[in-house]
Amino acid sequence: MVIFMWKNLLQTTKERILQQRRMSVYNQAHGYEEELVKKKLQQFAGGSVDLTKEDNGIGILALNNPKLMNAFTGTMMLELQERVTELENWKDGKGLIIYGAGNTFCSGSDLNVVKAMSNSQDGMNMCMFMQNTLTRLMRLPLISVALVQGRAIGGGAELTTACDFRLMTPGSEIRFVHKIMGLVPGWGGGARLVRIVGSRAALQLLSGANRVDPERALHLGLSEETLSFSDEAGALEAAQAWLSQYIKGPASVIRAAKEVVTAGRELPLEAALWREKDIFGTLWGGPDNLQALARGLKHK
């Protein structure tokens, strides 16, 4: 009976955590009609967002529209949301690498979409749709890495900030070009950038629309490392090797560590402490914890 109640408590806690992770920033109370947005975006086809799940627990998410420097078409925005949902349900996943096909990362939105949705309401709807999607991406219980080859500009630069880490290749750049287009970031990239590099550096990058090369990115803390490889296959292999050092061990523990960090980043201290307690409760006395105790791994 006690075991049954304990298992039921753990399952309830896990379900609550999953539901909170999927919560959208915007809903109907904010005037956001997701189905109407999806119908509009469906009109602009092209490219794809492809997901491969490796046996080692690493997901590979590819932006595949190389003719347009992997710019997001409407259907690619929809597919990104679908891939995020798939990753939310991947119980064995531990890590995620996002990269762009054709040795370049992403150039933001396809100009055909931008022009067709140039009125204020359409623009706001797209903004809310992408903010919701990238917030869910950021909250995934996977340790995520943006592999930046070539250019990550505009919305592509914003996408990199939704990942936990960024790796760059020689000759690549990250650039928030929104000012040149008479805009500011709209996919949540501005708010996330402040949390990554601080308000002073973020203001410089947004107001100056500066190109950030690998050396500058390292200095700012925008990138973790500059990889030696420039070709797609070599860079992907190197990114997987880099990520592997952080995903060793059981998926349940790696995912819990990410959950704790997400809570600490997004919640007031008391709420974060409660969340940490709940997550801790899903692991204490569990099989991975008991096996580690039996092997005496604490000091090894």
Side-chain angles (χ1 to χ4, degrees):
M1 182 67 175
V2 174
I3 294 176
F4 173 78
M5 291 177 65
W6 178 244
K7 287 183 177 179
N8 189 53
L9 175 62
L10 292 182
Q11 184 61 33
T12 301
T13 301
K14 289 179 180 178
E15 289 175 355
R16 185 169 71 250
I17 291 171
L18 182 61
Q19 184 179 17
Q20 289 170 333
R21 186 194 309 143
R22 290 175 174 172
M23 287 179 61
S24 296
V25 179
Y26 303 104
N27 52 42
Q28 288 185 337
H30 305 99
Y32 174 61
E33 299 287 347
E34 183 167 287
E35 292 308 311
L36 294 179
V37 179
K38 286 183 174 181
K39 281 185 179 180
K40 186 80 173 184
L41 293 175
Q42 192 68 49
Q43 301 173 30
F44 309 103
S48 63
V49 178
D50 307 316
L51 176 62
T52 304
K53 300 175 192 171
E54 304 289 344
D55 292 338
N56 60 3
I58 294 179
I60 309 292
L61 190 73
L63 309 178
N64 193 359
N65 191 15
K67 291 189 296 185
L68 297 178
M69 290 178 56
N70 299 317
F72 273 94
T73 62
T75 54
M76 285 177 68
M77 293 181 191
L78 297 176
E79 286 185 20
L80 179 64
Q81 185 193 61
E82 292 169 3
R83 300 293 89 79
V84 168
T85 300
E86 189 175 346
L87 288 165
E88 287 172 337
N89 291 300
W90 185 28
K91 299 184 188 302
D92 297 324
K94 296 191 282 185
L96 176 67
I97 297 172
I98 302 178
Y99 81 102
N103 289 312
T104 196
F105 188 73
C106 176
S107 59
S109 301
D110 179 1
L111 286 179
N112 292 322
V113 180
V114 173
K115 291 175 182 177
M117 301 182 71
S118 59
N119 70 75
S120 179
Q121 189 57 53
D122 281 344
M124 288 289 286
N125 285 335
M126 181 177 68
C127 165
M128 289 187 281
F129 181 85
M130 289 300 288
Q131 279 195 17
N132 278 349
T133 299
L134 293 185
T135 299
R136 288 171 57 191
L137 171 65
M138 181 178 64
R139 290 174 176 166
L140 285 172
L142 309 173
I143 298 177
S144 57
V145 175
L147 172 57
V148 181
Q149 297 173 270
R151 306 178 74 191
I153 59 176
E158 293 192 64
L159 175 58
T160 71
T161 67
C163 295
D164 299 311
F165 302 110
R166 284 144 295 281
L167 299 173
M168 300 181 71
T169 59
S172 62
E173 69 175 59
I174 298 174
R175 188 181 184 193
F176 294 85
V177 297
H178 305 76
K179 185 186 80 166
I180 298 172
M181 301 297 295
L183 295 169
V184 294
W187 295 358
R192 292 189 298 267
L193 183 65
V194 170
R195 286 161 172 76
I196 295 169
V197 302
S199 60
R200 181 181 177 188
L203 184 57
Q204 289 177 332
L205 296 182
L206 296 182
S207 63
N210 302 317
R211 291 182 174 87
V212 182
D213 62 18
E215 183 179 0
R216 176 69 171 157
L218 283 171
H219 175 74
L220 290 172
L222 186 57
S223 171
E224 321 315 313
E225 188 173 314
T226 303
L227 303 178
S228 301
F229 300 89
S230 295
D231 64 290
E232 185 173 299
L236 268 173
E237 185 176 347
Q240 288 200 57
W242 186 91
L243 180 57
S244 293
Q245 65 186 309
Y246 298 107
I247 62 166
K248 292 177 181 176
S252 61
V253 179
I254 303 303
R255 293 162 67 89
K258 172 64 185 289
E259 294 272 13
V260 166
V261 170
T262 298
R265 179 185 63 222
E266 297 189 10
L267 300 176
L269 179 58
E270 187 171 324
L273 292 173
W274 276 86
R275 178 72 68 84
E276 184 173 317
K277 177 261 300 177
D278 287 344
I279 297 168
F280 174 83
T282 68
L283 297 177
W284 180 267
D288 296 318
N289 177 224
L290 294 177
Q291 287 175 22
L293 289 172
R295 296 195 299 271
L297 292 179
K298 183 175 181 181
H299 300 295
K300 293 184 178 180

